[in-house]
Amino acid sequence: MLESLITSKTRLKLLIKFFVSASNQGYLRGLAEEFQESTNAIRKELNQLEDAGFLTKKSDKNKIFYRANTTHSLFKPLQKLIHTFLGIDELVDHVLGKAGDIQSVSIIGDYAKGLDSGQIEVLILGENLNEAYLLRLAAKVGAKLKKVVILYCNVPAQDGHCIQLYSSNTEV
């Protein structure tokens, strides 16, 4: 869907990296290695996204770090578009419907780091969770999105990368 709108695969990877979570950041060589792209291709896309105001940059120890410009008027809509593209919104909506007394739903792992690895790891915290339903749902959503969905119930995130999508206190 989004690939037909954004024809540059490098630009799409960068948008996913920076807009899946506002805390994600990267620098030229690191992004080139992460995406296995040339530094010239990454530099070109970073410059265009920064010129358009979608990214901000900050120097730190001879490296220029880029991150999403959260003050840009299109930040929230673009982030929602990226979440929809990755299937995150649909997954959360289904989970909240029938899964039990859910306290929070978070994306962890590669997607929380902004990497579209094809594997979505979801952490669900709550009480009286219907784990059988959640596993069936994960398989169904995974097949629809052509991605692997892995669920963790009531287990803390290990690597610290976490995007909280829902909390019973407030929707994120």
Side-chain angles (χ1 to χ4, degrees):
M1 163 193 81
L2 201 53
E3 298 96 341
S4 60
L5 183 62
I6 301 171
T7 56
S8 167
K9 287 181 173 46
T10 303
R11 182 173 297 168
L12 184 56
K13 288 176 187 177
L14 288 169
L15 288 172
I16 290 170
K17 169 77 175 178
F18 293 120
F19 284 86
V20 73
S21 172
S23 65
N24 287 346
Q25 65 177 5
Y27 63 96
L28 179 64
R29 289 201 186 279
L31 292 167
E33 289 175 19
E34 184 177 316
F35 299 147
Q36 298 177 349
E37 300 269 349
S38 73
T39 54
N40 287 337
I42 299 291
R43 180 183 293 111
K44 176 184 168 194
E45 296 298 341
L46 287 171
N47 287 337
Q48 288 180 350
L49 289 169
E50 190 214 353
D51 288 345
F54 291 113
L55 298 180
T56 61
K57 65 181 181 181
K58 179 181 177 185
S59 295
D60 184 26
K61 298 180 183 175
N62 296 331
K63 291 182 184 175
I64 298 174
F65 286 89
Y66 294 85
R67 68 178 338 139
N69 180 359
T70 57
T71 63
H72 192 283
S73 61
L74 294 177
F75 171 77
K76 283 289 186 192
L78 189 52
Q79 187 177 50
K80 181 153 179 61
L81 181 65
I82 294 297
H83 285 180
T84 301
F85 169 70
L86 296 175
I88 294 170
D89 289 353
E90 184 174 343
L91 185 63
V92 172
D93 288 344
H94 281 38
V95 166
L96 294 177
K98 301 178 182 177
D101 184 18
I102 294 178
Q103 295 167 347
S104 71
V105 177
S106 303
I107 298 293
I108 59 175
D110 286 348
Y111 271 71
K113 297 174 192 170
L115 302 174
D116 184 4
S117 65
Q119 182 172 299
I120 302 172
E121 295 178 77
V122 181
L123 172 65
I124 301 172
L125 301 176
E127 295 181 22
N128 304 316
L129 296 178
N130 185 342
E131 291 185 33
Y133 168 76
L134 289 171
L135 290 172
R136 284 192 311 274
L137 179 63
K140 184 189 273 187
V141 170
K144 183 176 180 181
L145 298 174
K146 297 182 177 111
K147 300 186 187 300
V148 176
V149 178
I150 301 172
L151 293 180
Y152 302 99
C153 297
N154 293 320
V155 179
Q158 298 297 315
D159 67 1
H161 285 87
C162 178
I163 301 172
Q164 189 172 42
L165 300 173
Y166 171 83
S167 171
S168 58
N169 297 332
T170 177
E171 190 161 340
V172 179

